[in-house]
Every structure is written in C-alpha cells, then in structure tokens.
Amino acid sequence: MNQFPWLTTLWVVPVAGAAATLAVPAARRTAARWVGLVAALATLAVGVVAAVRFSPGGDRYQLVEKHEWIRSFGAGYTVGVDGIALVLVLLTAALVPLLLIAAWNDDRVAADGPRVTHVYIALTLVVEAMVLISFVALDILLFYVFFEVMLIPMYFLIGGFGPRGEDAEPRRQRVRAAVKFLLYNLFGGLIMLAAVIGLYVLTARQHLGGDGGTFDFRTVVAAAGSGHLGAGPVVLNALFLGFMFAFAVKAPLWPLHTWLPDAAVAAGPPSAVLMMAIVDKVGTFGMLRYCLLLFPGSTHTYAPLISVLAVAGILYGALLAIGQTDVIRLIAYTSISHFGFIILGIFALTTQGGSGAALYMVNHGISTAALLLVAGFLVSRRGTRVIAEFGGVQKVAPVLAGTFLIAGLATLSLPGLAPFVSELLVLIGTFTRYPVAAVFATGALVLAALYILWMYQRMMTGPVRPGNERIRDLLPRELVVLVPLVLALLVLGVYPKPVLDRINPAVSGTLTSIGVHDPAPTVPQPEAATTGGTHK
C-alpha cells in the first residue's frame, strides 16, 4: 500500500493557493487575503502532519517519494526529509502565515493598482513552495532548478512593491536593489550549474545510473563516501567550490554579502523576513547537505578557510551594525553576523557545531522575524527608518517597546532565549576544532550587546521626540503575529530538546558519512613528581 504523498502535498498546497488567489476578482482584496492565508495555514497543517509521522530514531530520509522525471538524464522526482530538513520545513510553514497577516494592511500590498494585493500574496506563496521543494529534494537537478527559480518571485517582491506615493528616486533605488539581488544570485547559480553538470559527467563515467549518469542524491553520496566517483582531488575541489560559491552568495557569506542590506531595505519588513529568515536558509542548508556529503575530501581541505571567512563575517556584520542610522539596515547587518555563526558551526565539523548550526537556522528565523516585523510596525507608524527620529517610544507604546526589547535581546543571544542555545553549541563545537576562531567569534557577543542595546536606548527610551507622541501601541492583528514568535523564543530558549532530537541524528549521520569524528578533549597532565630522580 502506497503512503500518502505528504511532501508533494506540502508544496502543491501553496501553489494551488497562489493560483486561487489570482483567480479572486480584482476588487475583492480582502477575499484574496483570506484565500492566501487559508492556503498558508493548510501548508502548515500538512507540515505538522509530516512532523508527526517522522520518527527521530528511524531511517535517515523518511516520507520518501520517488518517480521518474527525465529518464535519459537520470533525473527523478525524489523527495524526502531528514531531521534538519524537517525543522526548516516547519519554520517555513509557520512563518509564512504570520508574514501574510503582518502585511494585511501594508501600504506596499494595498496599493490602488489592479491586483497588487493578489500578486503579492501569490508571489509569497510561490516562494514558499519553491523553498519547501528545495528542502525536501533528494535529486540534485530537482534541487538546483528550484534553488534558481525561487529568485524570480523574490525579485518581484523586492522590486515591485513600494509604498503609496513613493518618489522616483526611492523607486529607482528599490529596483537597483532587486537587480543586484538577482544578478548576484544568478551568477552564483550559474557557477553551481557548471558544477552540477560536472558531477553528472562523473556519475556517467562510473555508470552510477545504469547505462548513464544520475542526479539521485543518495546514490551520488554513497559513491562519494566510498571513493567511487572516479575523480582526483583537483576536480572534486573545483566541483565543491562551484556548489559552495552559490550557497555562499545566497547565505550570504562575507565577502559575497553586499546585496543583502540593500535588498532588505527595499523589500519591506514582511518580504525581508521571507528573504532572510526563509530563502537565505536554503544556502546554509545546501552547505550542510550538499557540500559536506557530496565532497567529503574537499570539505576537509577548505573547512579552515571557510571558517576564517565565517569569523570575518561575524565581526564585519556586527561592527557595521553599530554604525547604522537606518533600523532596517542595522537588522540586515546583524543577519550577516548570524549567518557567519551558522556557517562557522557547519564547517567546524563537530557534532556540537553542526547541531548548533542547524538549530541556529531555526532560531535566527524566529528572532529575525520578530525583530524585523516589530521594527516594520514602528516604521509604518512613524514614516521613517532613521533611528535618530525615534525616542521615548516606550512611553507612548509600551507593549511595542517591550516586544522590540525581547526580540532584540534574542538577537544578541541572551541566556533564556532561543538563539543562546544554538550560539553556545556553535562556539563549543568550534572551540574543540578551531579554538582561535571560536575566541574571535565570541567577541561578537560584546558587539551584539552594543548595537542592540544602543539601538533600543536611542529609539525607545528618553523623552518623547516630536512626531512620536501619536505612535499607537500594537494592534490585535499585530499581536497575533508577534506573540507566537515571542513564545517560540521563550520555549526554545529553555527547552530546545524536541528540535535537537530531530537534528542530532541527521548531523551525526552526516559527519559519520564524511569520516569525521569529534576531536578528543586534551587535558594537560601535570608533570610527575620526582624524588631523588625516581618518579613517584
């Protein structure tokens, strides 16, 4: 008896929701919003069912579906989840309904043009579907196709939706940011395409797909682990770098990060959350799954260099965040720093580092969503992103200010909030492998406290600045968005076990597959006491 195709249903539902939203008459914007929200909630329900059916102690990849796609190329429609993919699927499915509610009355999606609201909702759902396929794909070509295609709807979300009455210059800046996002990521994808083709050629030479090559991820991983890809280190290193470059652009890893701050500002808070908390996770997920498992030897070779770049990104993002005058741009730079921590944990090649990195992907998504959305609500009230224009907000909007503080403290990894656990695991795992890198990365904790608390002080405390006295506190709709995020930060801060129970077996399996073991702890031994030249 065939099992129900839960993973196919997972991405088909948002695609169907996007089509249904576009079918709603143009004048019925509220109906379009409800159709999109119902589709997003249905996707979440399917994700929860998949999580319930997933057994942490079972097979590495579960809920697997496999069908022929392009037989002559050895490409198939093969999907399945391990623990890491599962938690990222749940993160994606949980955040999208909140983003649709957050944008319910946003000027960017309530403009007077025909079907603007409909198109925005449909694009958001399409991005969700493509991200979900990327997380569950067990075919390398299938993954690549949607890794690239998701850029198109995201490009329109960044460049196509501006506030009402926007001047020509801001509109041009928004379009430039969208083009920059697209070009950077398309170039990274082009390099990856060359690597994908090269990998297929290797599988064809070894007849891994029978008479030809194959894109089946599990087959290629098995061959890579046993050394049966039939290529030398130079070729494998080149293919590794092709995959890694594309993932490093999307993640983003310093110095390939420069598209992110402009895109975050241009996109608006809900779409910026979609980009940074969801879409960019495909990059770090790709590093953990594809780079490590397909190229174990190259991973060992380049892990020290990538760790250095990750530490540079951690410190660079934190230092630049301190100097920002734009609240949204500041939050974007904090994400560059956080992605550095995730990548550092991945390439520490330890169980603590890998588990911390996977957990960090989830926790960063939640904390960044909370901080960006509450900042977006504040910016929409005041009409400016300039930090200096705020001041005294906690006196006129105490609930908004309190939520902003909790989200900010989570961003700086305060103990008791979710990011602390993941950051601690990353640092512990890194210290056992690269102690110097861990020491430098720890310095970012001080910088994070500086940029978050200074931002809060300037925006929320002190006397009420002119223009801020009419700022409203959070509305019920906004509380519906923020309360679940705050609760998730609190719960995962004190009880991350349910997530780690699903992540840990996948991380351990990955490290075992590439022949990596945690470094043995070294404890200095005291010199033996001597008496009269005789050891006691």
Side-chain angles (χ1 to χ4, degrees):
M1 180 177 178
N2 294 329
Q3 65 175 1
F4 186 80
W6 291 108
L7 298 185
T8 297
T9 306
L10 184 70
W11 66 263
V12 167
V13 170
V15 170
T21 301
L22 293 176
V24 174
R28 303 189 62 182
R29 296 176 187 167
T30 300
R33 295 185 182 102
W34 279 108
V35 169
L37 180 59
V38 169
L41 291 173
T43 304
L44 175 59
V46 175
V48 170
V49 172
V52 170
R53 296 179 65 87
F54 183 88
S55 174
D59 296 337
R60 172 71 183 273
Y61 300 106
Q62 300 181 34
L63 305 177
V64 174
E65 305 168 35
K66 186 171 183 177
H67 307 281
E68 287 189 354
W69 179 25
I70 310 174
R71 181 185 296 180
S72 58
F73 288 161
Y77 173 78
T78 308
V79 294
V81 290
D82 61 3
I84 299 169
L86 179 67
V87 297
L88 293 175
V89 162
L90 290 176
L91 172 70
T92 302
L95 285 182
V96 170
L98 299 180
L99 299 183
L100 292 178
I101 296 172
W104 200 270
N105 293 325
D106 195 324
D107 279 351
R108 292 172 178 262
V109 298
D112 295 327
R115 293 189 175 276
V116 171
T117 301
H118 301 59
V119 172
Y120 175 86
I121 295 169
L123 288 173
T124 300
L125 292 174
V126 168
V127 171
E128 178 186 24
M130 293 179 178
V131 170
L132 291 172
I133 296 176
S134 298
F135 287 144
V136 304
L138 290 179
D139 182 274
I140 298 169
L141 183 60
L142 181 68
F143 171 82
Y144 171 77
V145 168
F146 289 97
F147 178 84
E148 285 291 273
V149 173
M150 72 176 69
L151 300 176
I152 304 304
M154 198 68 236
Y155 163 80
F156 286 110
L157 285 172
I158 295 170
F161 295 88
R164 297 182 183 183
E166 188 178 47
D167 294 334
E169 183 56 30
R171 190 180 301 114
R172 282 193 293 268
Q173 293 174 356
R174 180 163 43 82
V175 172
R176 283 197 295 267
V179 171
K180 188 176 182 180
F181 159 83
L182 187 63
L183 291 179
Y184 265 66
N185 283 275
L186 282 178
F187 181 68
L190 180 63
I191 301 298
M192 181 177 168
L193 176 60
V196 169
I197 294 172
L199 187 62
Y200 175 80
V201 170
L202 293 182
T203 66
R205 288 178 177 175
Q206 300 299 313
H207 302 288
L208 296 181
D211 294 332
T214 182
F215 287 105
D216 185 272
F217 174 73
R218 292 173 294 176
T219 301
V220 181
V221 166
S226 60
H228 290 157
L229 278 181
V234 173
V235 173
L236 293 176
N237 288 345
L239 298 180
F240 169 86
L241 292 175
F243 277 82
M244 184 64 200
F245 184 83
F247 297 146
V249 171
K250 182 157 286 188
L253 174 65
W254 182 91
L256 304 173
H257 66 281
T258 57
W259 60 268
L260 179 62
D262 292 338
V265 170
S271 295
V273 171
L274 182 67
M275 178 179 66
M276 290 192 290
I278 297 176
V279 172
D280 290 352
K281 295 300 187 308
V282 179
T284 48
F285 172 78
M287 295 178 194
L288 188 52
R289 170 170 286 185
Y290 292 90
C291 287
L292 269 62
L293 287 172
L294 294 175
F295 310 102
S298 302
T299 297
H300 289 280
T301 300
Y302 288 101
L305 173 60
I306 296 171
S307 297
V308 170
L309 295 178
V311 172
I314 291 170
L315 298 175
Y316 175 89
L319 287 171
L320 263 67
I322 294 172
Q324 297 305 309
T325 59
D326 182 318
V327 60
I328 303 298
R329 190 174 289 272
L330 186 154
I331 297 171
Y333 276 107
T334 69
S335 281
I336 293 172
S337 184
H338 292 311
F339 275 110
F341 273 107
I342 295 171
I343 296 168
L344 182 63
I346 293 171
F347 286 94
L349 302 181
T350 60
T351 53
Q352 298 98 330
S355 295
L359 181 62
Y360 212 133
M361 293 185 215
V362 177
N363 292 338
H364 170 264
I366 299 170
S367 61
T368 297
L371 187 59
L372 255 179
L373 290 176
V374 71
F377 294 149
L378 182 58
V379 167
S380 66
R381 286 159 163 75
R382 186 65 175 82
T384 181
R385 303 188 307 268
V386 178
I387 294 174
E389 294 297 320
F390 295 92
V393 173
Q394 68 179 11
K395 295 181 180 179
V396 296
V399 177
L400 187 154
T403 306
F404 190 92
L405 178 61
I406 293 172
L409 293 176
T411 300
L412 63 83
S413 299
L414 183 76
L417 296 173
F420 170 75
V421 181
S422 47
E423 195 161 293
L424 181 64
L425 284 172
V426 167
L427 290 174
I428 291 173
T430 302
F431 189 83
T432 60
R433 182 80 65 184
Y434 305 119
V436 175
V439 170
F440 276 99
T442 304
L445 302 179
V446 177
L447 299 176
L450 179 59
Y451 61 67
I452 289 295
L453 296 179
W454 191 31
M455 176 178 64
Y456 181 84
Q457 181 184 31
R458 287 180 289 170
M459 296 180 68
M460 302 296 168
T461 65
V464 179
R465 289 182 59 84
N468 294 337
E469 61 277 353
R470 296 183 181 180
I471 292 178
R472 298 173 299 169
D473 215 335
L474 291 176
L475 302 173
R477 173 181 59 85
E478 296 164 339
L479 288 172
V480 168
V481 173
L482 294 173
V483 168
L485 297 173
V486 171
L487 289 177
L489 291 173
L490 295 171
V491 171
L492 292 178
V494 297
Y495 191 63
K497 185 177 183 296
V499 179
L500 286 174
D501 283 347
R502 284 147 183 82
I503 288 173
N504 288 339
V507 171
S508 298
T510 296
L511 296 181
T512 300
S513 297
I514 66 175
V516 171
H517 303 283
D518 290 337
T522 57
V523 180
Q525 298 295 326
E527 294 183 4
T530 60
T531 303
T534 303
H535 290 280
K536 299 284 187 176

